[in-house]
C-alpha cells in the first residue's frame, strides 16, 4: 500500500527498532541513503546498511540480517518484485519501499500490512483495480460441491452444471482480461521521482532539513537527468523546487536557527546560476571537456576528422588559444576563465551547441572546495563502477558514499580522475564504432556488439558506463543518419562482462524521439529468453540490463528481432 504521510506512517514507526537498510548501487539511492543516515544520526537510531547489486544480493542480505529485524527499508530496489513471495519474511517484518523503478509490483501495492510504498502513486501510472487482477473463487466451488451432496435430483444437478459452465466461462474471460491488463501495466519499464528528493521532502516536512541534505537531493536528481532516466519536464520541475529550498535554507533569519546551523551556513554555499553543462570542465581542460560532453561531441560530430577541425575552429573563434584550451581550466588566464561562458554562448547558435547552455547548482565550501552537481555525479558513477578482482563492489559503494562528504575531498578528487578516464573511454569506443559503422539494424531496433580485445573493455563490464555509451552512440547515429526512421529506433548494446565464465552484459535503451523514456526491453528480453530457452541472468533491478552467455547472444538477438518485428 502507498504511504503518503512519511513522518507519521514511516519515520515514527521505525524510530524504536533497529532497521535494515538495503541500498541499490546507484547515485540516487546513495544520496537518499545519506539523507536517511543523517536523520538517523540526529535521532540516535540504530541501523544496518547493506549495499545490494542485484536480486540475489538482496535475498542474501535479507537472510543474513533478518534476525530481530522488524523494519526493512529498500532504497531503489525491491519495488518491482513481489517481496513477500521472494523473501518469505516473518509476519512481524514490515518492508518500506523507496524505489524510483517503475512499474511497482501489484502485490506490493495491494499488500495491507507487510509492504508499504513510500510516497503517492504517479499520476500517469495506470494501476489496475484490485478486482481486475486478484480473485478468490474457492468459496463458490465449495458451495457447489455442498449443494451437489445435499440434493441428488437430476434437475438440480443440471442447473448446477449449467451454473458451473457459466462460472468457468466467466473465470476464463476474467483470466484473459487479467493477462491483457497485466501485460499493458508491465509492458514498459521506466523511472519515477528521485528517491533522494522524496526523503529530503520528508526531512523538510519534519523541519529537520539543512543545506547538506538539499545538496544530496540535488545530486540524486542530477543523476536522473544525466542518465536520461526521467523526462526533461520533470527534471525542470524538480530543479525549481530544489532552488526554492536552497533559497529558503540560505536566507533563514538568525533567530530561527541554532548556532551550529548558523556556523554551517557561513561556510557552505549553494548557488543556482546559468552555467555550461560541459562534463567536468572546471576540473579538466576546455578542449577535453568539449570533446567528451555528449551535446558538443554530437553537434560537432567529433568522431570524424571534419569534427576535429570544427572544434579547433570553435576554439579559435572564441579567442581561446590552443595552449590555453589544453591547460587545466583552473590554470587558465583569469580573464579567459571569467569570460569562458560568454564566449561559448556567443557562438552556440552558429555551431549548434545551444543545449550546453543551461543552469546548474554549485556547492562551495571554504576556498578550495567548489563542485557543481554533475561533477559529483560523474565522480560517484566512476567510483561506483571501479570494482575489480582487488577491489570489492561493496568497497566502491562506500567510497561513492564518501564522495558526498565535504571532509573527504581526496576520495572525490580520485573519483573525478576516474570519471575522466571513464568519459574518455566512452568517447573513444563510440568514435571507433561510428567510424567503423558497427551499428547494425535488426529491423525494429539497432544493436551494437562491442569488439573484444579493446583496452577500454574493462570499463564496459559495468552497467552505468555501458548505458552512457549506448545513449551517446544513439544520439550520434540519429543526428548523423539520413534515415527518417532513425529517431524511432531503440538500441541494444552488448559487451563482455566476465571473460572467465564467458558471459556478456546487454542493455537496451528507448528511442531518441521518446521524451518520456519508457523502455519495452525489460519484457522483451524476458520473452525472447523464453522463446529460445536462453538462460539469461535478469538480476539487476533495472530490467533493461541483463547478462547471458556469449555463445547464446546471436540466437537471443535473432529472437528479439522476431519478437519486436
Amino acid at each position: 500500500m502507498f504511504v503518503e504521510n512519511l513522518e507519521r506512517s514511516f519515520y515514527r514507526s521505525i524510530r524504536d527498532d533497529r532497521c535494515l537498510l538495503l541500498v541499490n548501487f546507484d547515485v540516487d539511492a546513495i544520496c537518499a541513503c545519506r539523507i536517511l543516515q543523517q536523520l538517523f544520526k540526529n535521532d540516535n537510531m540504530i541501523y544496518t546498511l547493506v549495499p545490494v547489486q542485484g536480486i540475489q544480493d538482496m535475498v542474501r542480505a535479507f537472510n543474513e540480517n533478518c534476525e530481530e529485524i522488524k523494519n526493512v527499508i529498500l532504497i531503489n530496489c525491491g519495488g518491482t518484485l513481489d517481496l513477500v513471495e521472494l523473501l518469505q519474511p516473518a509476519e512481524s517484518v514490515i518492508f518500506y519501499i523507496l524505489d524510483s523503478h517503475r512499474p511497482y509490483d501489484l502485490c506490493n501495492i495491494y499488500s495491507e500490512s507487510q509492504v508499504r510504498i513510500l510516497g503517492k502513486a504517479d499520476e500517469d501510472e495506470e494501476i489496475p483495480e484490485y478486482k481486475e487482477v486478484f480473485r478468490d473463487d474457492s468459496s463458490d466451488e465449495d458451495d457447489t460441491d455442498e449443494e451437489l451432496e445435499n440434493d441428488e435430483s437430476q434437475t438440480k444437478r443440471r442447473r448446477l452444471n449449467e451454473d458451473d459452465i457459466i462460472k468457468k466461462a466467466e473465470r476464463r474471460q476474467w483470466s484473459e482480461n487479467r493477462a491483457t491488463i497485466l501485460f499493458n501495466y508491465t509492458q514498459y519499464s521506466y523511472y519515477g521521482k528521485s528517491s533522494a528528493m522524496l526523503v529530503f521532502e520528508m526531512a523538510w516536512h519534519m523541519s529537520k532539513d539543512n543545506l547538506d541534505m538539499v545538496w544530496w537531493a540535488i545530486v540524486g536528481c542530477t543523476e536522473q537527468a544525466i542518465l536520461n532516466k526521467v523526462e526533461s519536464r520533470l527534471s525542470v520541475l524538480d530543479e525549481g523546487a530544489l532552488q526554492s529550498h536552497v533559497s529558503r535554507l540560505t536566507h533563514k533569519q538568525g533567530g530561527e536557527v541554532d548556532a551550529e546551523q548558523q556556523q554551517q551556513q557561513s561556510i557552505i554555499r549553494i548557488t543556482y546560476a546559468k552555467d555550461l553543462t560541459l562534463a567536468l570542465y572546471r576540473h579538466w581542460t576546455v578542449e577535453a571537456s568539449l570533446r567528451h560532453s555528449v551535446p558538443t561531441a554530437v553537434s560537432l560530430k567529433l568522431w570524424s576528422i571534419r569534427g576535429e577541425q570544427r572544434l579547433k575552429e570553435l576554439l579559435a573563434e572564441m579567442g581561446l588559444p590552443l595552449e590555453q584550451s589544453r591547460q587545466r581550466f583552473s590554470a587558465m588566464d583569469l580573464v579567459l576563465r571569467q569570460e569562458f561562458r560568454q564566449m561559448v554562448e556567443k557562438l552556440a547558435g552558429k555551431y549548434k551547441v545551444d543545449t550546453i547552455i543551461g543552469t546548474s547548482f554549485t556547492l562551495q565550501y571554504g576556498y578550495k572546495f567548489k563542485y557543481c552537481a554533475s561533477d559529483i555525479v560523474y565522480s560517484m558513477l566512476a567510483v561506483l563502477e571501479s570494482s575489480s578482482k582487488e577491489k570489492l563492489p561493496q568497497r566502491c559503494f562506500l567510497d561513492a558514499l564518501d564522495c558526498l562528504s565535504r571532509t573527504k575531498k581526496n576520495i572525490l578528487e580520485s573519483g573525478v580522475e576516474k570519471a575522466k578516464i571513464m568519459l574518455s573511454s566512452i568517447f573513444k569506443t563510440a568514435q571507433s564504432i561510428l567510424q567503423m559503422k558497427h551499428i547494425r539494424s535488426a529491423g525494429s531496433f539497432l544493436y551494437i556488439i562491442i569488439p573484444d580485445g579493446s583496452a577500454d573493455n574493462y570499463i564496459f563490464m559495468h552497467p552505468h558506463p555501458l548505458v552512457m555509451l549506448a545513449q551517446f552512440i544513439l544520439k550520434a547515429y540519429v543526428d548523423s543518419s539520413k534515415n527518417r526512421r532513425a529517431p524511432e529506433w531503440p538500441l541494444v548494446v552488448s559487451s563482455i562482462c566476465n571473460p572467465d565464465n564467458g558471459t556478456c552484459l546487454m542493455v537496451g535503451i528507448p528511442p531518441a524521439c521518446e521524451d518520456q523514456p519508457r523502455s519495452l526491453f525489460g519484457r522483451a528480453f524476458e520473452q525472447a529468453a523464453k522463446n529460445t530457452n536462453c538462460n539469461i541472468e535478469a538480476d539487476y533491478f533495472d530490467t533493461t540490463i541483463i547478462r547471458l552467455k556469449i555463445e547464446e547472444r546471436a540466437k537471443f538477438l535473432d529472437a528479439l528481432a522476431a519478437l519486436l518485428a
Side-chain angles (χ1 to χ4, degrees):
M1 64 178 176
F2 287 100
V3 169
E4 293 190 24
N5 188 326
L6 301 194
E7 180 185 4
R8 187 178 67 239
S9 304
F10 164 58
Y11 198 75
R12 288 183 193 170
S13 304
I14 64 170
R15 284 184 64 169
D16 300 327
D17 299 296
R18 182 163 68 92
C19 299
L20 175 60
L21 267 174
L22 302 179
V23 186
N24 186 22
F25 274 64
D26 73 52
V27 172
D28 179 42
I30 292 171
C31 293
C33 170
R34 190 70 190 85
I35 298 170
L36 269 180
Q37 282 183 307
Q38 188 66 55
L39 290 170
F40 289 172
K41 181 182 175 184
N42 294 346
D43 290 325
N44 298 314
M45 290 167 61
I46 302 169
Y47 65 92
T48 301
L49 168 62
V50 185
V52 292
Q53 267 189 308
I55 298 166
Q56 291 176 14
D57 256 8
M58 184 179 75
V59 173
R60 192 183 309 114
F62 176 75
N63 290 334
E64 288 173 0
N65 296 278
C66 63
E67 285 183 25
E68 297 180 14
I69 288 283
K70 289 183 181 177
N71 302 308
V72 181
I73 303 165
L74 299 107
I75 305 182
N76 282 2
C77 58
T80 59
L81 306 164
D82 183 351
L83 285 176
V84 175
E85 177 70 25
L86 180 68
L87 300 177
Q88 300 290 316
E91 288 185 10
S92 59
V93 174
I94 297 175
F95 296 104
Y96 294 95
I97 295 174
L98 184 65
D99 195 353
S100 61
H101 294 98
R102 301 287 189 277
Y104 290 124
D105 187 272
L106 291 171
C107 293
N108 294 337
I109 290 173
Y110 289 113
S111 170
E112 293 182 359
S113 55
Q114 282 197 277
V115 182
R116 297 173 190 181
I117 300 170
L118 305 186
K120 56 185 179 183
D122 300 336
E123 290 176 7
D124 56 349
E125 191 174 7
E126 296 173 359
I127 298 170
E129 294 291 327
Y130 178 85
K131 62 185 179 183
E132 291 177 330
V133 287
F134 297 104
R135 176 171 174 168
D136 183 11
D137 285 333
S138 59
S139 58
D140 295 341
E141 290 168 10
D142 292 346
D143 291 346
T144 303
D145 293 341
E146 198 175 324
E147 276 197 74
L148 277 169
E149 285 172 16
N150 294 343
D151 195 328
E152 295 293 326
S153 72
Q154 286 189 354
T155 311
K156 195 75 171 176
R157 277 175 181 275
R158 196 179 301 115
R159 188 175 63 76
L160 289 173
N161 284 337
E162 287 170 0
D163 288 349
D164 200 33
I165 290 166
I166 292 167
K167 281 178 183 175
K168 281 181 180 174
E170 285 175 353
R171 276 200 295 273
R172 193 183 306 112
Q173 183 65 47
W174 179 85
S175 295
E176 288 171 3
N177 290 342
R178 178 180 186 271
T180 305
I181 289 165
L182 285 177
F183 176 79
N184 291 336
Y185 176 66
T186 59
Q187 184 178 10
Y188 295 101
S189 50
Y190 58 103
Y191 284 84
K193 185 171 183 168
S194 155
S195 296
M197 183 73 172
L198 204 62
V199 182
F200 170 75
E201 285 175 348
M202 180 187 76
W204 166 47
H205 287 303
M206 292 161 60
S207 300
K208 293 183 177 182
D209 58 330
N210 58 33
L211 282 170
D212 276 328
M213 288 183 186
V214 77
W215 176 248
W216 299 329
I218 288 165
V219 173
C221 290
T222 304
E223 183 239 19
Q224 286 201 319
I226 285 174
L227 296 180
N228 297 324
K229 289 184 175 181
V230 292
E231 58 183 304
S232 51
R233 176 182 62 86
L234 295 177
S235 293
V236 170
L237 289 173
D238 283 344
E239 208 172 89
L242 287 163
Q243 196 269 336
S244 65
H245 285 300
V246 168
S247 182
R248 172 180 58 82
L249 288 164
T250 305
H251 295 101
K252 268 189 176 180
Q253 296 301 312
E256 294 180 35
V257 293
D258 56 28
E260 184 185 345
Q261 206 162 349
Q262 282 183 30
Q263 185 184 3
Q264 183 200 46
Q265 287 176 8
S266 67
I267 53 176
I268 301 176
R269 199 175 75 208
I270 299 174
T271 52
Y272 178 70
K274 280 185 80 173
D275 200 0
L276 299 173
T277 56
L278 290 173
L280 304 170
Y281 80 89
R282 289 185 182 87
H283 314 279
W284 214 348
T285 68
V286 166
E287 187 185 38
S289 183
L290 285 165
R291 177 175 284 110
H292 298 112
S293 297
V294 174
T296 46
V298 169
S299 297
L300 299 172
K301 295 182 173 57
L302 292 179
W303 58 88
S304 64
I305 295 169
R306 175 70 185 120
E308 283 291 323
Q309 289 172 345
R310 279 175 64 80
L311 176 59
K312 286 174 182 168
E313 285 169 20
L314 170 62
L315 292 169
E317 210 167 329
M318 283 165 58
L320 198 63
L322 274 179
E323 185 188 349
Q324 290 285 330
S325 70
R326 288 172 180 170
Q327 285 187 52
R328 195 178 170 101
F329 185 79
S330 56
M332 278 168 52
D333 287 352
L334 180 62
V335 175
L336 292 174
R337 283 209 315 268
Q338 289 172 339
E339 294 178 357
F340 177 59
R341 182 167 60 80
Q342 287 85 346
M343 290 174 181
V344 175
E345 284 179 356
K346 201 172 172 183
L347 296 166
K350 181 179 177 180
Y351 286 88
K352 297 179 183 175
V353 291
D354 309 71
T355 49
I356 65 167
I357 298 163
T359 50
S360 75
F361 290 94
T362 304
L363 174 72
Q364 188 158 0
Y365 173 65
Y367 292 106
K368 293 186 177 180
F369 192 101
K370 185 176 182 180
Y371 295 88
C372 73
S374 61
D375 296 339
I376 309 286
V377 171
Y378 285 122
S379 176
M380 288 176 72
L381 285 171
V383 168
L384 203 56
E385 302 290 36
S386 62
S387 61
S388 60
K389 289 178 181 177
E390 295 77 35
K391 192 174 184 183
L392 291 173
Q394 288 75 13
R395 180 68 258 169
C396 296
F397 178 95
L398 295 174
D399 284 348
L401 188 61
D402 284 340
C403 285
L404 293 172
S405 171
R406 288 177 281 107
T407 57
K408 296 185 178 175
K409 192 186 172 195
N410 59 327
I411 293 176
L412 182 58
E413 278 296 320
S414 167
V416 167
E417 296 308 310
K418 285 187 173 81
K420 291 177 188 177
I421 295 168
M422 179 180 77
L423 292 172
S424 298
S425 298
I426 288 169
F427 175 77
K428 279 193 286 183
T429 306
Q431 183 180 36
S432 168
I433 286 166
L434 290 161
Q435 284 178 344
M436 303 294 288
K437 294 184 167 49
H438 280 159
I439 302 167
R440 301 279 180 263
S441 173
S444 51
F445 66 92
L446 304 168
Y447 70 92
I448 299 163
I449 295 173
I450 296 174
D452 306 348
S454 166
D456 298 311
N457 272 26
Y458 74 97
I459 295 275
F460 304 111
M461 292 178 178
H462 305 284
H464 285 116
L466 193 61
V467 168
M468 291 165 77
L469 173 70
Q471 290 173 347
F472 182 0
I473 291 175
L474 185 60
K475 283 177 182 171
Y477 178 82
V478 169
D479 193 73
S480 57
S481 175
K482 293 175 182 175
N483 193 321
R484 289 182 181 178
R485 290 191 58 206
E488 300 169 13
W489 285 327
L491 174 67
V492 173
V493 180
S494 177
S495 69
I496 298 290
C497 173
N498 189 332
D500 298 337
N501 62 14
T503 56
C504 63
L505 190 64
M506 189 176 281
V507 304
I509 61 167
C513 65
E514 293 279 345
D515 184 47
Q516 192 175 24
R518 292 178 175 236
S519 178
L520 50 73
F521 281 117
R523 285 299 299 270
F525 285 163
E526 186 185 318
Q527 191 59 47
K530 278 183 189 173
N531 294 350
T532 54
N533 292 321
C534 286
N535 185 23
I536 64 167
E537 291 180 59
D539 191 48
Y540 293 97
F541 297 111
D542 185 335
T543 55
T544 61
I545 305 169
I546 59 166
R547 292 189 295 265
L548 75 158
K549 290 287 183 184
I550 296 169
E551 63 263 22
E552 293 186 328
R553 181 164 57 187
K555 178 175 69 170
F556 182 82
L557 286 169
D558 288 342
L560 196 62
L563 184 69
L564 298 177

